[in-house]
Amino acid sequence: MDINEVTRDNWLRAIFPEWGTWLVEEIEAEEVPRGNFAMWWLGCMGVWLKTSGSTNLAIDFWTGTGKRTHPTTPMPTTHQYYKMCRSRITQPNLRLTAVPIDPFAMKNLDAVLSTHLHSDHIDPYVAAAVLKNCPSAKFVGPRACVDIWKSWGVPTDRLIEVRPHDEITIGDVKITALESFDRTTVLTEYRIAGVDCSIDEKAVNYVLETDGGVIYHAGDSHYADRFVEHGKKFSIDVALGAYAHNPIGITDKMTASDFIRMGESLGAKVIIPMHYDTWSNFQSDVREIEELYRLQSERLGYKFHPYIWQLGGKYVYPRDADKKYFNYERGFPDAFEKIIRN
């Protein structure tokens, strides 16, 4: 390499996205055993789901950033966090993790699902890539998300609007939209005909039924007693929820206690904390969930356990049902083999 020819542009092209096409290749090569489903964590609340029938769904697939410069303007009074605590100092929310997947390398995707309208759960770059490379893929979400996709140029015939209790089928996955308990979206302004719309038009949770089991995606829901209702309607195997340490004055993610209560209320078998990886000002230590679970599980007789995932990691259920942690492949399985054979 001649460093005199290096520019910012060719540096960006050579290095980003940092994982290149690694994860796309892994997902495409994965043959999911019958009676199982596979998931990969895309960061934040993003999940790629692949079934034994090769249906591919991406939920809350986001490739964006947080702050990239020090802000000089106050937080607008229309912002949901201003409405929570009247803070005018803009939050220092830097993105902490890499984008593990190149959306423009995707070719096999049946649908993009968004749980709600916040910008770390719906992405214009993903939408553009899907439109270009996945001609039959649908875009599924509540009305606010559908309106956003439409404003970006997604054709109407590719959009599916859902409200709580709507059911659709994509490939071999039955998808049911349920009530979201993300109270932050209540404070997020989204007006239709001059009137701020209801939470049901801004956010939903999803139940995804596959031949390998049932997944509950809670989006950014806060804890709510009605998780019990959802758990009684569906036999949930794996529940995904948003956990983090909330800054002072803000309640935007579930605490460790809330997260464990969610698992108990839903009657899930496995609970997977997410979103704590995303924002610098919500930085969390996921071992808090492990410790609280350890203190409570024997006394309360929990029939579920937490699973601690890692960015880009694969989780296959029920094959991995008893696992507690993800660990990346460590490599070198053929160490010294050639020497021994000689």
Side-chain angles (χ1 to χ4, degrees):
M1 176 183 290
D2 182 350
I3 63 170
N4 293 306
E5 296 180 359
V6 173
T7 65
R8 185 175 185 275
D9 183 64
N10 58 35
W11 166 63
L12 291 172
R13 290 177 179 275
I15 303 302
F16 299 96
E18 293 97 326
W19 287 38
T21 59
W22 178 281
L23 201 58
V24 172
E25 294 168 23
E26 180 178 317
I27 293 169
E28 289 180 349
E30 180 72 16
E31 294 184 6
V32 182
R34 188 178 300 277
N36 285 258
F37 61 80
M39 300 190 299
W40 290 261
W41 188 12
L42 306 181
C44 195
M45 288 303 296
V47 173
W48 189 292
L49 170 66
K50 186 173 185 179
T51 69
S52 63
S54 292
T55 297
N56 288 274
L57 306 177
I59 308 165
D60 284 0
F61 184 4
W62 169 68
T63 65
T65 67
K67 296 296 182 295
R68 300 181 67 192
T69 63
H70 286 270
T72 57
T73 56
M75 185 182 296
T77 57
T78 54
H79 194 280
Q80 54 269 23
Y81 288 165
Y82 170 81
K83 293 179 182 179
M84 277 190 197
C85 68
R86 297 298 187 264
S87 174
R88 296 304 307 278
I89 299 175
T90 300
Q91 61 169 328
N93 59 323
L94 303 172
R95 179 169 182 154
L96 292 177
T97 53
V99 175
I101 189 167
D102 180 353
F104 289 93
M106 303 180 309
K107 297 292 186 286
N108 301 308
L109 187 64
D110 296 292
V112 177
L113 283 68
S114 180
T115 58
H116 63 286
L117 74 170
H118 289 153
S119 60
D120 52 345
H121 298 259
I122 184 168
D123 189 303
Y125 302 103
V126 169
V130 171
L131 277 183
K132 288 179 172 67
N133 298 330
C134 308
S136 61
K138 299 296 186 181
F139 294 76
V140 181
R143 177 171 180 174
C145 294
V146 167
D147 287 347
I148 291 167
W149 281 319
K150 199 180 298 182
S151 75
W152 291 341
V154 177
T156 303
D157 63 354
R158 303 281 293 272
L159 300 170
I160 300 177
E161 181 182 330
V162 291
R163 292 176 58 86
H165 310 294
D166 286 349
E167 297 177 356
I168 62 171
T169 299
I170 303 286
D172 59 352
V173 181
K174 180 182 176 183
I175 303 166
T176 303
L178 293 175
E179 295 87 356
S180 169
F181 309 123
D182 180 1
R183 291 183 285 277
T184 304
T185 61
V186 176
L187 300 177
T188 304
E189 289 193 8
Y190 194 80
R191 295 182 176 275
I192 297 171
V195 178
D196 193 30
C197 62
S198 72
I199 186 172
D200 289 345
E201 293 170 303
K202 297 177 185 177
V204 294
N205 294 353
Y206 290 111
V207 170
L208 304 107
E209 298 177 75
T210 77
D211 75 331
V214 178
I215 306 148
Y216 184 93
H217 194 298
D220 277 3
S221 285
H222 303 183
Y223 179 77
D225 292 330
R226 288 188 67 193
F227 278 135
V228 178
E229 179 186 347
H230 291 180
K232 290 189 174 181
K233 287 181 178 177
F234 297 90
S235 180
I236 296 165
D237 294 293
V238 179
L240 314 173
Y243 153 77
H245 287 172
N246 296 297
I248 58 169
I250 298 295
T251 299
D252 189 52
K253 304 291 181 288
M254 282 187 276
T255 65
S257 178
D258 289 339
F259 186 75
I260 291 170
R261 287 188 73 198
M262 178 195 75
E264 182 182 26
S265 298
L266 288 171
K269 297 181 178 70
V270 180
I271 58 172
I272 304 181
M274 300 171 66
H275 215 317
Y276 64 91
D277 67 309
T278 309
W279 300 124
S280 56
N281 59 325
F282 283 77
Q283 188 176 18
S284 309
D285 188 337
V286 76
R287 290 176 298 178
E288 178 188 25
I289 290 174
E290 296 178 80
E291 285 301 304
L292 189 56
Y293 176 84
R294 182 183 62 80
L295 289 170
Q296 295 178 342
S297 58
E298 262 193 57
R299 180 184 295 271
L300 298 179
Y302 289 152
K303 294 180 173 59
F304 64 92
H305 65 265
Y307 176 78
I308 307 305
W309 220 353
Q310 298 289 339
L311 181 72
K314 179 176 67 177
Y315 180 74
V316 179
Y317 187 89
R319 187 194 73 184
D320 298 335
D322 295 330
K323 291 186 176 181
K324 305 287 180 65
Y325 302 94
F326 173 83
N327 199 74
Y328 297 107
E329 183 181 352
R330 300 182 71 200
F332 309 106
D334 60 342
F336 293 106
E337 284 184 4
K338 187 174 182 181
I339 295 173
I340 293 169
R341 287 170 184 162
N342 289 343

